[in-house]
Amino acid sequence: MDPVERLYLDAMMEDPGVPARSLRPQLLAGARARRRPAAPTAPWAEPYAGRVAAMDALLASAEDDDWSRVIVEGWTLQELVAHLAAKDGLLAASVGAPVLGPPMGATDSLGRTGDVQAYERARSPEQTRRDWRAQADALCRHLADLPPTTPATLDGMEVPVRDQILARCLETWIHTADAAQTARIRLPDPVADHIRPTADLCARLLPWTMLLSGLDGSGRTLRLTLTGDGGGEWQVPLGVEDAGPGTPDAHITADVVAFCFLLGGRGDPAEFPAELAGDLSLARDVLTTAPALSGP
């Protein structure tokens, strides 16, 4: 089975540890009846395509009270989905893919989110779901013909499109988890082949999260060991202009999923479960600043 299709189907699985009353039978029945596989895309964009499919599975049979429930940032589920569509549309605009929804006005994430949310409030939740999925699928199809090194800019940050789409993967993954937690539904993690490149992005962001927080890690190196499916070990130079890693000054060992979510702004760095060694002050600084690039 294709790993993207498998991820989508895994999102249908009922966890026996979740109370039956917390998972409406209509959710599973309706979602199974209306499964939509992820859009075809480049192999390096499949982690994002898989998370889109998983989120769509969660939304497939949401009822009226689900859509009006506040999920995060004071946003209802419908507004959260509109936010995802807004940011996907901004990335689409950057690489020449179709941009759906209202005419492009604001070109920053918060401004575009406000525009798309205002547009979607006049539409039904199901229309919002379809609009978001159509935008995500249009982006996926466009990426199939792009080199992964194509420059792409979002909120003033220009990086290769491969990194931008991994960032979109991480945000979609986190907001899917936000919505699932509110609905008291437990969804499985992505497949290991999708977690690994997302974790790699998170590791490479650490010099930037430190710098954005006012700390310069130049000349220092972190050994990062992430456990669990999709994990691995990284030697991370902590200066944004460092030519490469040196002898590790500090060592952090943590769960790979928890680490990705920390970078995505979920969890308290002070209470983050990790084993630290070497320069403990440096290791704590890395964890404390890790969420610096996270946003709504």
Side-chain angles (χ1 to χ4, degrees), residues 97-159:
V99 179
L100 309 180
M104 186 69 75
T107 57
D108 64 287
S109 291
L110 288 178
R112 181 61 177 171
T113 289
D115 291 345
V116 176
Q117 287 176 338
Y119 172 80
E120 293 295 347
R121 287 187 191 106
R123 298 164 65 78
S124 71
E126 180 59 24
Q127 287 175 315
T128 299
R129 174 199 169 209
R130 291 176 180 174
D131 290 347
W132 159 74
R133 182 66 196 258
Q135 177 65 81
D137 285 356
L139 177 57
C140 282
R141 292 189 179 96
H142 186 79
L143 295 178
D145 298 321
L146 285 186
T149 55
T150 302
T153 303
L154 190 59
D155 288 330
M157 181 176 291
E158 181 180 296
V159 298

Side-chain angles (χ1 to χ4, degrees), residues 15 19-20 64 81 91 124 139 158 167 202 204 287:
D15 189 306
D64 290 345
V81 174
L91 180 55
S124 71
L139 177 57
E158 181 180 296
C202 291
R204 290 185 286 111
L287 293 178

Side-chain angles (χ1 to χ4, degrees), residues 174-187:
I174 287 173
H175 284 322
T176 302
D178 290 336
Q181 183 178 19
T182 301
R184 298 176 63 195
I185 296 170
R186 181 178 176 183
L187 298 182

Side-chain angles (χ1 to χ4, degrees), residues 170 173-174 195-196 198-200 202 226 255-266 272:
L170 177 61
W173 180 13
I174 287 173
I195 293 176
R196 177 66 186 224
T198 309
D200 180 73
C202 291
L226 298 178
D255 175 76
V256 63
V257 172
F259 178 76
C260 289
F261 272 56
L262 181 68
L263 269 286
R266 298 298 180 270
F272 183 71

Side-chain angles (χ1 to χ4, degrees), residues 36-270:
R36 289 187 289 176
T41 191
W44 46 268
E46 286 182 355
Y48 165 74
R51 286 299 90 198
V52 167
M55 180 61 149
D56 200 38
L58 183 65
L59 299 175
S61 292
E63 297 180 350
D64 290 345
D65 60 339
D66 297 318
W67 287 102
S68 60
R69 185 177 292 118
V70 173
I71 305 298
V72 68
E73 301 291 336
W75 294 334
T76 65
L77 180 58
Q78 184 175 10
E79 291 167 336
L80 176 61
V81 174
H83 166 68
L84 291 174
K87 294 193 70 172
D88 290 343
L90 288 174
L91 180 55
S94 177
V95 295
V99 179
L100 309 180
M104 186 69 75
T107 57
D108 64 287
S109 291
L110 288 178
R112 181 61 177 171
T113 289
D115 291 345
V116 176
Q117 287 176 338
Y119 172 80
E120 293 295 347
R121 287 187 191 106
R123 298 164 65 78
S124 71
E126 180 59 24
Q127 287 175 315
T128 299
R129 174 199 169 209
R130 291 176 180 174
D131 290 347
W132 159 74
R133 182 66 196 258
Q135 177 65 81
D137 285 356
L139 177 57
C140 282
R141 292 189 179 96
H142 186 79
L143 295 178
D145 298 321
L146 285 186
T149 55
T150 302
T153 303
L154 190 59
D155 288 330
M157 181 176 291
E158 181 180 296
V159 298
V161 67
R162 178 176 185 172
D163 286 350
Q164 292 284 17
I165 204 65
L166 286 172
R168 299 301 313 125
C169 167
L170 177 61
E171 182 172 1
T172 305
W173 180 13
I174 287 173
H175 284 322
T176 302
D178 290 336
Q181 183 178 19
T182 301
R184 298 176 63 195
I185 296 170
R186 181 178 176 183
L187 298 182
D189 294 324
V191 295
D193 286 347
H194 293 175
I195 293 176
R196 177 66 186 224
T198 309
D200 180 73
L201 173 69
C202 291
R204 290 185 286 111
L205 286 175
L206 292 176
W208 295 97
T209 59
M210 290 189 70
L211 188 62
L212 187 62
S213 302
L215 299 178
D216 185 357
S218 296
R220 314 298 297 279
T221 293
L222 171 73
R223 180 191 301 159
L224 178 66
T225 302
L226 298 178
T227 60
D229 293 343
E233 185 165 289
W234 287 259
Q235 308 292 328
V236 184
L238 294 176
V240 296
E241 295 184 355
D242 286 352
T247 302
D249 299 284
H251 186 191
I252 295 175
T253 301
D255 175 76
V256 63
V257 172
F259 178 76
C260 289
F261 272 56
L262 181 68
L263 269 286
R266 298 298 180 270
D268 182 354

